[in-house]
Amino acid sequence: MLKFLRRKVTRAGRIDITPPAPAPGRAGLALVVIAKNEAAHLHDWLCFHALAGVREVIVYDNASTDATAAIARAFTGCPVTVIPWQIEAQTESPPMVLPRQVLAYVHAICTFGERFARMAFIDVDEFLVPQEADTIEGAIAHLGDAPNISLPWAMFGHGGHDARPDAAMPFAYTARAPRSAGPLLRWKCIVDPCDVTQVSTHKFHTASRGARTVNTEGRETTNKGRNEAFASFAHLTLNHYYLRSRAEMEAKIRGGAVSGVAEDQRRAAIERKARIIEADTIRDDGAIRFLARHGIADTAALRAAFGGTP
């Protein structure tokens, strides 16, 4: 009898890199985002972050079939680079898939990182919200040259919406879970790209600090040491409009994930988080207050801030 052995293929959670050498005069914050079919939200997201002082946005377009790429290219509020991105590599020994999201982050750091003092890696349903400052860089200026800043998700619920509202996300959703704990506790990072030696979706290593990271209050721990007590919404908050409307949540579940997680697993995880978020919410209008400091009072004003949608 012949027996065939199937080699198990795992997904790499992290990739080691050699960081780029800093270019003369490097400065500012770049946002890196991998997006698929986000035409309904991308202009709002770009306007918000241009107001927040982002120097450049690098959009990795994950085979969108809508106007995502066109909206990104037409934006005038800050430079936007669009890169078609469906790359997913596999090594032979050991057999391992290198996920396209992590590869996009590696590509961004190695290709563009030399020009920027910091890079942030977020999604189109995530907004970096300065709590008192007028810009993202102003909100973290007190952290000096910290090369790795961890921000916990502030997890927002449906806001009573069954269908997608016309309002921009910061105006449509103001109810969030009061704390980041349990399955709601995940992180995104702002890093010095010229110091990064290891890349993953939710954590980074740097040459100068290894696995150590700080929160927005300046408290330091290791990547593994990040817990609820370390999570801080002070100074700069990462608003994650995780659920959006009920219709959009269902589309998110069915639409496939960059991570490659199967639909049944994705449904169970998202619905679990939804129950936790919706069971106990508080009002958070930090994003609305930020926009008001820039003279933006409503969705129409936000969308018109840099010439309107294409």
Side-chain angles (χ1 to χ4, degrees), residues 65-86:
T65 56
D66 64 5
T68 292
I71 290 169
R73 292 189 180 102
F75 187 68
T76 60
C78 66
V80 179
T81 298
V82 180
I83 300 173
W85 198 257
Q86 259 198 309

Side-chain angles (χ1 to χ4, degrees), residues 211-290:
R212 302 199 71 79
T213 182
V214 300
N215 67 11
T216 55
E217 298 176 58
R219 287 186 286 128
E220 186 176 76
T221 189
T222 63
N223 287 327
K224 289 184 177 180
R226 298 181 301 185
N227 56 24
E228 182 183 354
F230 180 74
S232 173
F233 296 150
H235 304 292
L236 182 67
T237 303
L238 180 62
N239 283 13
H240 190 183
Y241 299 104
Y242 181 74
L243 300 183
R244 304 188 193 180
S245 67
R246 290 177 176 83
E248 288 172 290
M249 186 183 84
E250 182 61 27
K252 177 180 181 178
I253 292 170
R254 294 184 177 185
V258 175
S259 63
V261 176
E263 181 179 325
D264 58 342
Q265 294 175 287
R266 196 161 61 253
R267 179 177 295 278
I270 292 173
E271 289 181 347
R272 181 188 180 198
K273 292 185 181 80
R275 288 192 295 270
I276 296 171
I277 294 168
E278 294 286 87
D280 179 24
T281 61
I282 61 172
R283 180 175 175 83
D284 183 337
D285 60 1
I288 295 174
R289 287 187 282 105
F290 163 77

Side-chain angles (χ1 to χ4, degrees), residues 117-308:
R118 298 188 192 275
M119 275 184 159
F121 303 83
I122 62 175
D123 298 326
V124 176
D125 60 358
E126 298 170 338
F127 286 61
L128 289 166
V129 181
Q131 291 300 305
E132 302 295 338
D134 289 337
T135 66
I136 296 168
E137 288 187 278
I140 57 175
H142 63 286
L143 299 176
D145 59 357
N148 187 357
I149 304 166
S150 290
L151 298 102
W153 281 344
M155 298 286 274
F156 284 72
H158 291 303
H161 297 290
D162 292 324
R164 179 176 67 84
D166 182 60
M169 280 187 274
F171 292 106
Y173 305 104
T174 58
R176 68 163 172 85
R179 59 196 183 98
S180 290
L184 304 187
L185 183 59
R186 298 297 293 273
W187 308 86
K188 290 295 180 75
C189 297
I190 300 174
V191 300
D192 176 349
C194 296
D195 203 15
V196 171
T197 57
Q198 189 179 93
V199 181
S200 67
T201 304
H202 298 284
K203 61 185 178 182
F204 294 77
H205 287 210
T206 60
S208 62
R209 306 305 292 271
R212 302 199 71 79
T213 182
V214 300
N215 67 11
T216 55
E217 298 176 58
R219 287 186 286 128
E220 186 176 76
T221 189
T222 63
N223 287 327
K224 289 184 177 180
R226 298 181 301 185
N227 56 24
E228 182 183 354
F230 180 74
S232 173
F233 296 150
H235 304 292
L236 182 67
T237 303
L238 180 62
N239 283 13
H240 190 183
Y241 299 104
Y242 181 74
L243 300 183
R244 304 188 193 180
S245 67
R246 290 177 176 83
E248 288 172 290
M249 186 183 84
E250 182 61 27
K252 177 180 181 178
I253 292 170
R254 294 184 177 185
V258 175
S259 63
V261 176
E263 181 179 325
D264 58 342
Q265 294 175 287
R266 196 161 61 253
R267 179 177 295 278
I270 292 173
E271 289 181 347
R272 181 188 180 198
K273 292 185 181 80
R275 288 192 295 270
I276 296 171
I277 294 168
E278 294 286 87
D280 179 24
T281 61
I282 61 172
R283 180 175 175 83
D284 183 337
D285 60 1
I288 295 174
R289 287 187 282 105
F290 163 77
L291 291 170
R293 294 198 294 275
H294 288 271
I296 305 295
D298 55 27
T299 296
L302 175 63
R303 290 174 180 168
F306 299 101

